[in-house]
Amino acid sequence: AKPPVAPDEAKYWKGKAQLKLNRPADAAAAFAEAIQSHPDSPRLADMMLTQADSLMAQGKWAEAAVIYQDIAARFPKHESVAGAIYNAALCLYKGDQFKESSALCEKFITDYPSDKLMPRVLFVAGEDKFLQGDYAAAAPLYRQLTDKFSAEAGPDSDKARLRLGWALYYKEQ
């Protein structure tokens, strides 16, 4: 006979199923319940990540950013920490909190220089600076993205080239 599934594991998969069914609000609620019911679960970081993903899918940028940052602080050795930092920065950027997003991008760039998410982080970091009017700081971020990661950046590479031109132009004004 199969061993019974642990309650925290069952709740984790219930939430994952809700997210797969494109029901992020139900998924976020399922993960909130699982986290509250099983705060010592070995799956806690995964439950929090997927809860944050569920909130992000709903456009709840501030709530998702808080959870992503909490994951990075509480589980610094977790395999998804770099992604959590990037997602927190992206949520803050989408919520027009450019200064806070920029600080997380700087942390990512320093702590995870060879991570596969670097092109995305450089783009968000450049956007944060550009939208704050700090064109001198935005230009090198866009340049690094277009020079080193053009192929990996996809459509962001073209947008970064355009922004680089504008940043260089505005910087001279």
Side-chain angles (χ1 to χ4, degrees):
K2 287 185 178 180
V5 176
D8 61 330
E9 192 75 15
K11 288 180 181 180
Y12 171 78
W13 288 108
K14 177 184 174 189
K16 286 288 275 191
Q18 295 293 337
L19 194 55
K20 282 276 191 200
L21 292 170
N22 199 26
R23 293 171 24 203
D26 293 337
F31 284 113
E33 181 202 334
I35 291 164
Q36 185 176 1
S37 301
H38 306 283
D40 298 322
S41 170
R43 278 268 195 205
L44 184 59
D46 296 323
M47 287 189 274
M48 291 173 67
L49 274 166
T50 316
Q51 180 189 30
D53 292 345
S54 302
L55 293 166
M56 191 174 176
Q58 297 174 73
K60 295 183 176 183
W61 312 123
E63 291 176 59
V66 167
I67 295 171
Y68 286 127
Q69 290 177 82
D70 191 26
I71 292 163
R74 290 174 62 183
F75 306 100
K77 302 289 185 207
H78 193 275
E79 64 187 1
S80 298
V81 166
I85 294 169
Y86 164 70
N87 281 336
L90 181 62
C91 287
L92 291 167
Y93 162 74
K94 288 183 179 249
D96 296 333
Q97 295 180 353
F98 305 122
K99 186 182 272 186
E100 295 84 355
S101 175
S102 188
L104 287 176
C105 288
E106 289 171 19
K107 176 179 176 38
F108 185 101
I109 291 166
T110 301
D111 294 352
Y112 304 97
S114 59
D115 193 272
K116 67 182 181 203
L117 292 171
M118 185 58 75
R120 292 180 183 175
V121 172
L122 287 169
F123 183 76
V124 171
E127 290 290 278
D128 287 333
K129 297 296 186 186
F130 188 92
L131 294 170
Q132 290 179 78
D134 189 351
Y135 308 115
L141 294 164
Y142 290 132
R143 186 171 311 281
Q144 185 179 355
L145 172 62
T146 58
D147 288 352
K148 293 184 181 176
F149 300 103
S150 189
E152 298 95 324
D156 286 345
S157 182
D158 292 336
K159 191 170 181 183
R161 278 187 223 296
L162 181 63
R163 289 285 211 201
L164 173 59
W166 282 111
L168 292 172
Y169 173 78
Y170 287 141
K171 186 174 91 169
E172 299 303 317
Q173 299 305 310

